[in-house]
Amino acid sequence: MKTTLLFALFFALFFSHQISAQSKPSPLNCVRTPNPVLQSMQVANMQSVESAQSQTNANRVAVIYVLPKDAPYSDAEYKAIVKVMREIQAWYQLNTGGVTFTFSYADTVQVYRCKQETSYYQSDWWGKLLPEMQQQGQPIWQNGTVASLWVKSGNPYGLGLGAQWCDGYCGVAMAALENFPDFNKNYSGGVGVDAWPSVPHGTMAHELGHAFGLAHPIEVPGLEDVANHSVMQTHWNYPSFAPAAERPWGFLAPERQTLQANPFLQKYIKLKQIYDAVPVNLPVTGPLPKVRFNDTEKDLSVQLQNKSTGANLYYWTFGDGTASNYTSPTHTYNKAGTYTVTLNGSARNGMMQQYRQTVRVNKKSIPIAIGRLFIYPNPSIDGRYTIFFPPLNIPLTITVLDGMGKVALVEKMGETGGMIKLDLNSFKRGLYYVKFEINGFALVQRVVRL
């Protein structure tokens, strides 16, 4: 078990009488000392690190909406937390090169009602709230869990605190409801740095970084000159407000290495990808992988053949909000159109290369022969029908369904000459549906058996 914490005091001037003197954030001032809360903790009842390591797939982020005793619950605040955490999850997946975290709770967020009123915690949210939550059975400093706490703090300048422990198998990230523009009366109306401290995505993405083991790059030898290209330094740039001098922006190459090896960040997490980003290959840690792919379109599907070399992690986005970690996936779109497919390939040295290509998919039209189909007689007294249509040189499947949609008959045939006999003489009287399928497309006709 680690004896020290990466403790991130996110705002350099945390107390309100100090913060009121500044209008924009200054370089972050983090104190790397053991949290006093932990010196008296009973760690014997915690899971062993070995147990957590053997259950890597169980490592999850527990998102908790924290309400002091005197703070009212707000459904708008709850929904805002859910939305932001899902978006941060997608942002991590893109900017790490294809890995992200999953959530402990099916509804993403749970509510914790504090034992004390707001004024009790305001002098030290970290030191007073965390031990209370742990005593109440909340997943604080629990192996296999990173706790993401959204606190209704009453502080117009928000909160930003984060730390990792348990040899990397637990952590805490803390932000405030006041980091949301909608819930902060002091919000300036700006964006990026001009919105600070009302930058909820950037605040929590940054503090989760600490909980996952990242430091401020300004304090890491070799990263000082490129620190402002990282969310771990200039969090207010999230997701795309970095000025020209700080682009590209996201995670630095060594930070991606750390995150790709973190047990909480995994591949094959399905989500809606709403972001786009250029890889931050700073500082240069080695050669870039060579990333390329070929594509083959058929109807609404595109088959992608990965031709990359030098990469060990792949992340595809298909231009419709979906993504994949498979090496050479096949993707089917819901509708015809032109889409941009992007492949990010990451090497073990942390370098990531990106390749884009436009694909166009179309839904094949139903053959005109099906459109001219004619059934006679209809209705039929004896249940015998003749189907007329121009000759087909492709296989045809005919399926008869009863009025409840239950399949009653299936006939498959090869090339047909333009006339088919359909015999429903043995069927009960009533309404039936005849479905004609060619190459995956179908036309349904209604027939009546008198």
Side-chain angles (χ1 to χ4, degrees):
M1 191 72 67
K2 287 186 176 179
T3 59
T4 60
L5 287 174
L6 174 60
F7 178 75
L9 179 55
F10 185 70
F11 302 120
L13 303 176
F14 177 76
F15 299 104
S16 60
H17 70 277
Q18 294 172 302
I19 296 179
S20 61
Q22 68 178 42
S23 59
K24 292 184 180 181
S26 60
L28 306 179
N29 179 22
C30 290
V31 181
R32 291 175 176 80
T33 58
N35 190 322
V37 175
L38 300 177
Q39 293 178 356
S40 61
M41 282 177 54
Q42 298 296 320
V43 298
N45 63 349
M46 298 177 68
Q47 299 176 13
S48 67
V49 172
E50 291 76 12
S51 175
Q53 290 172 337
S54 68
Q55 301 178 28
T56 299
N57 291 334
N59 294 330
R60 300 181 185 276
V61 172
V63 186
I64 304 174
Y65 173 25
V66 179
L67 292 169
K69 190 175 181 179
D70 57 335
Y73 169 86
S74 166
D75 194 52
E77 292 173 348
Y78 180 93
K79 291 178 179 178
I81 296 170
V82 173
K83 182 175 184 293
V84 161
M85 291 305 300
R86 290 290 178 178
E87 290 174 353
I88 294 173
Q89 181 194 34
W91 185 88
Y92 259 75
Q93 190 180 66
L94 177 65
N95 285 273
T96 60
V99 295
T100 193
F101 51 88
T102 54
F103 299 106
S104 298
Y105 310 127
D107 295 331
T108 307
V109 180
Q110 286 198 352
V111 178
Y112 173 75
R113 175 65 71 176
C114 298
K115 297 299 180 181
Q116 305 292 334
E117 295 187 349
T118 306
S119 58
Y120 170 79
Y121 305 97
Q122 282 185 320
S123 64
D124 186 7
W125 281 98
W126 188 268
K128 294 182 178 180
L129 175 64
L130 299 188
E132 174 193 301
M133 291 184 68
Q134 190 182 36
Q135 290 172 1
Q136 296 301 314
Q138 296 295 316
I140 305 299
W141 309 125
Q142 176 178 304
N143 267 311
T145 300
V146 163
S148 171
L149 309 182
W150 289 93
V151 180
K152 196 164 187 175
S153 70
N155 184 347
Y157 301 100
L159 292 173
L161 303 155
Q164 183 188 62
W165 208 42
C166 309
D167 284 342
Y169 280 88
C170 73
V172 174
M174 184 185 297
L177 268 298
E178 291 76 17
N179 289 107
F180 285 89
D182 291 349
F183 312 128
N184 191 333
K185 295 179 181 179
N186 291 352
Y187 172 54
S188 67
V191 296
V193 67
D194 293 324
W196 180 87
S198 298
V199 285
H201 296 77
T203 300
M204 183 54 75
H206 178 109
E207 300 308 334
L208 282 171
H210 287 311
F212 295 142
L214 299 182
H216 295 138
I218 196 69
E219 299 162 348
V220 178
L223 301 186
E224 306 96 322
D225 293 342
V226 296
N228 285 351
H229 293 267
S230 171
V231 69
M232 299 309 298
Q233 196 67 38
T234 53
H235 66 285
W236 44 81
N237 286 338
Y238 183 108
S240 56
F241 294 113
E246 296 175 4
R247 298 176 192 163
W249 183 89
F251 285 121
L252 303 177
E255 292 171 340
R256 284 199 299 270
Q257 281 183 296
T258 298
L259 293 171
Q260 288 172 8
N262 187 281
F264 285 90
L265 300 174
Q266 303 160 21
K267 298 190 295 182
Y268 307 113
I269 305 301
K270 292 185 178 180
L271 48 73
K272 182 179 180 181
Q273 185 51 262
I274 62 173
Y275 295 114
D276 189 19
V278 175
V280 184
N281 289 310
L282 298 170
V284 175
T285 57
L288 284 168
K290 296 179 180 179
V291 178
R292 290 289 185 277
F293 64 86
N294 295 334
D295 63 277
T296 303
E297 295 91 9
K298 182 179 180 182
D299 300 336
L300 291 178
S301 296
V302 57
Q303 183 177 354
L304 300 160
Q305 296 178 325
N306 195 332
K307 299 295 184 179
S308 305
T309 58
N312 69 305
L313 174 64
Y314 298 107
Y315 183 63
W316 300 82
T317 56
F318 301 111
D320 62 350
T322 59
S324 173
N325 284 123
Y326 289 105
T327 302
S328 295
T330 296
H331 181 67
T332 301
Y333 292 92
N334 290 328
K335 60 182 180 180
T338 300
Y339 301 88
T340 298
V341 177
T342 303
L343 172 60
N344 290 286
S346 298
R348 297 186 187 280
N349 59 16
M351 302 294 281
M352 183 164 67
Q353 181 66 283
Q354 187 177 84
Y355 181 73
R356 299 177 187 269
Q357 193 161 305
T358 299
V359 300
R360 181 171 181 81
V361 294
N362 294 286
K363 185 173 183 179
K364 185 177 292 184
S365 300
I366 297 175
I368 190 170
I370 291 293
R372 297 178 61 83
L373 181 145
F374 181 70
I375 301 177
Y376 180 85
N378 189 17
S380 171
I381 296 176
D382 62 2
R384 295 184 173 91
Y385 307 84
T386 301
I387 305 170
F388 300 91
F389 53 89
L392 296 174
N393 58 2
I394 51 178
L396 170 68
T397 299
I398 298 178
T399 303
V400 179
L401 303 98
D402 64 21
M404 300 300 293
K406 184 178 179 180
V407 175
L409 174 70
V410 177
E411 290 188 5
K412 295 183 179 181
M413 54 195 69
E415 297 182 5
T416 55
M419 186 178 70
I420 297 175
K421 296 291 186 178
L422 179 64
D423 189 354
L424 303 184
N425 179 260
S426 62
F427 286 41
K428 296 180 180 179
R429 295 171 180 169
L431 175 67
Y432 293 88
Y433 296 95
V434 183
K435 181 168 69 173
F436 303 86
E437 294 179 277
I438 298 177
N439 282 354
F441 297 95
L443 177 68
V444 177
Q445 293 280 347
R446 185 176 66 173
V447 297
V448 177
R449 162 78 164 94
L450 297 178

